[in-house]
Amino acid sequence: MAINPITIILIESFVFALFSRSLAINRVTFNVLDLGAKVDGKTDSTTAFLKAWSAACGSPGPATIYAPRGRYLVKNAHFKGQCKNKDIRVRIDGTLVAPSDYDVIGNVGNWLLFEGADGVSIEGAILDGQGNGLWACKSTGKSCPSGATTLGISNSKDVAINGLTSLNSQMFHIVINGCDNEELQGVKVLASGNSPNTDGIHVQLTTGVTILNSKISTGDDCISIGPGTSNLWIENVACGPGHGISIGSLGKDFKEAGVEKVTVKAVTFKNTQNGLRIKTWARQSTGFVRDVLFQHAIMTNVQNPIVIDQNYCPNNKNCPGQDIHGTSATEVAVKFDCSKANPCQGIRLEDVNLTYKKQAAKASCANAAGTTSGVIQPTSCL
């Protein structure tokens, strides 16, 4: 008996609906409230989140960890991977709050650490590191904890972070270390412009990271790129206040992996110390920087818009055999300060237009060589 086309379409639709419903049924959700979490911001909910992780990690199929709206007090939590499934969603509609006493997590390294967590996606979430007290301690010169990174992703593949907000981290906000194929989108980082060592996003020993559509305001580098980073794509990121987007520092150790294949485009800098920067120590190293593209950057009231510094030495202490010198941070828009032993070569400037207080800015070059094309302002010193 022949089946007409309309009947075939109905059968296909029915089968598709059953298949979709089956997928929805197979995803199990672990609500942290069901596991003992409290939304008062005072009761320790660490155990509830760890129980939810353990359950999701051991689930034979896709799983979601869900935290409804509210404030959850969480001490340091280590979410270890090697999970049965590679589809764990961590959906947080509320705020995770670190202990107000910075000594509780100040020396543990990471407040929240995902390690070996392949295929995890983190959706939403406000992470409040409550770092103000530790910043105040450090400003006095007293002995203080080094501080905890708010969110660490370590030795993981195919991790996605979408719509996360990090507030007032004790130290770095987000660190991607030893990973492969990570994506961060719609991330917000908020901290005081004078908060010390609070890099927004730090990437190292990692390949294949994409950072998109994010806004970072902090007291250190908005994005810092460490040794062993490759295939990094940064696009549509707003930075300020902060120290800009920096490759480095590099070369502190002799045996060190290099940085390569980095693209930074369609980024804006406002009221930052630096814009686009490469910084290395003035000592021999196996490290390198190559295949880097900075494109379509807009600077507003940036002290040092473009910097290559091969004499990096913070606080001018124990500097490795180099004379430390500088120029006015406000007038010099382009600065290439390269070493005599290993000068900068192959620099190419194209269509750079930077001014200082509506007047011509200045460029400073030491041991640097390269070419220019298009409109170059300030006048090139290469």
Side-chain angles (χ1 to χ4, degrees):
M1 177 179 177
I3 300 177
N4 64 51
I6 296 177
T7 305
I8 293 174
I9 293 172
L10 289 174
I11 291 173
E12 288 178 346
S13 299
F14 180 69
V15 170
F16 177 76
L18 285 178
F19 179 69
S20 300
R21 184 181 178 189
S22 175
L23 288 179
I25 292 174
N26 287 338
R27 174 170 289 279
V28 61
T29 297
F30 300 98
N31 190 320
V32 296
L33 294 182
D34 297 333
L35 298 169
K38 304 296 181 184
V39 295
D40 57 10
K42 299 178 181 179
T43 304
D44 186 1
S45 296
T46 309
T47 300
F49 279 86
L50 291 175
K51 285 182 178 179
W53 173 260
S54 180
C57 187
S59 173
T64 297
I65 298 170
Y66 178 55
R69 291 185 179 182
R71 292 175 65 83
Y72 303 87
L73 174 63
V74 177
K75 297 179 181 178
N76 62 294
H78 187 179
F79 303 102
K80 298 180 181 180
Q82 308 299 325
C83 298
K84 289 185 177 180
N85 76 80
K86 306 299 181 184
D87 185 359
I88 298 178
R89 297 178 188 171
V90 182
R91 179 185 164 194
I92 300 176
D93 290 343
T95 300
L96 273 57
V97 184
S100 57
D101 180 359
Y102 53 76
D103 282 319
V104 176
I105 64 170
N107 286 317
V108 299
N110 293 275
W111 173 27
L112 307 171
L113 174 62
F114 289 83
E115 184 176 16
D118 296 354
V120 166
S121 63
I122 302 173
E123 303 172 1
I126 298 174
L127 308 178
D128 187 353
Q130 298 209 96
N132 308 65
L134 182 58
W135 309 339
C137 178
K138 290 182 176 180
S139 69
T140 65
K142 297 178 181 179
S143 178
C144 312
S146 58
T149 290
T150 286
L151 176 63
I153 309 294
S154 178
N155 300 316
S156 303
K157 298 179 181 179
D158 305 320
V159 172
I161 300 174
N162 192 359
L164 181 142
T165 298
S166 178
L167 306 175
N168 301 325
S169 181
Q170 288 189 356
M171 203 171 174
F172 288 16
H173 287 261
I174 301 171
V175 171
I176 310 295
N177 177 50
C179 295
D180 183 20
N181 192 32
E182 316 292 88
E183 179 177 296
L184 294 83
Q185 187 161 196
V187 170
K188 294 181 181 179
V189 170
L190 298 172
S192 168
N194 58 10
S195 55
N197 303 118
T198 53
D199 291 38
I201 301 172
H202 178 74
V203 182
Q204 66 181 23
L205 301 174
T206 293
T207 184
V209 174
T210 303
I211 303 172
L212 304 172
N213 308 323
S214 297
K215 179 176 175 56
I216 303 173
S217 304
T218 191
D220 211 298
D221 292 328
C222 290
I223 299 175
S224 55
I225 304 162
T229 299
S230 64
N231 293 301
L232 171 63
W233 188 282
I234 299 169
E235 185 172 1
N236 194 25
V237 170
C239 170
H243 292 182
I245 295 178
S246 297
I247 296 178
S249 62
L250 303 176
K252 190 172 184 179
D253 300 317
F254 175 73
K255 291 186 177 181
E256 188 176 272
V259 172
E260 60 183 334
K261 298 179 181 177
V262 175
T263 297
V264 180
K265 64 184 300 184
V267 293
T268 61
F269 301 89
K270 185 175 182 180
N271 300 326
T272 57
Q273 183 186 84
N274 307 294
L276 303 165
R277 176 168 64 155
I278 300 174
K279 52 182 180 178
T280 66
W281 289 77
R283 55 164 57 96
Q284 289 187 338
S285 173
T286 59
F288 57 83
V289 179
R290 63 191 178 208
D291 296 333
V292 175
L293 174 63
F294 294 143
Q295 187 178 50
H296 304 315
I298 298 175
M299 314 275 184
T300 303
N301 195 33
V302 176
Q303 294 180 37
N304 305 293
I306 301 173
V307 180
I308 295 179
D309 182 3
Q310 284 190 306
N311 291 316
Y312 179 72
C313 184
N315 303 317
N316 293 339
K317 293 181 179 179
N318 301 316
C319 299
Q322 296 289 324
D323 293 332
I324 302 302
H325 62 279
T327 57
S328 170
T330 54
E331 289 187 86
V332 177
V334 178
K335 179 181 178 182
F336 301 126
D337 184 9
C338 304
S339 71
K340 292 182 179 179
N342 295 285
C344 300
Q345 298 178 348
I347 298 171
R348 182 166 66 92
L349 293 178
E350 180 179 350
D351 295 327
V352 175
N353 188 357
L354 299 167
T355 60
Y356 166 65
K357 293 185 176 179
K358 298 182 180 181
Q359 298 180 1
K362 296 180 180 180
S364 173
C365 294
N367 307 306
T371 61
T372 64
S373 63
V375 176
I376 302 296
Q377 178 63 38
T379 301
S380 174
C381 57
L382 295 173

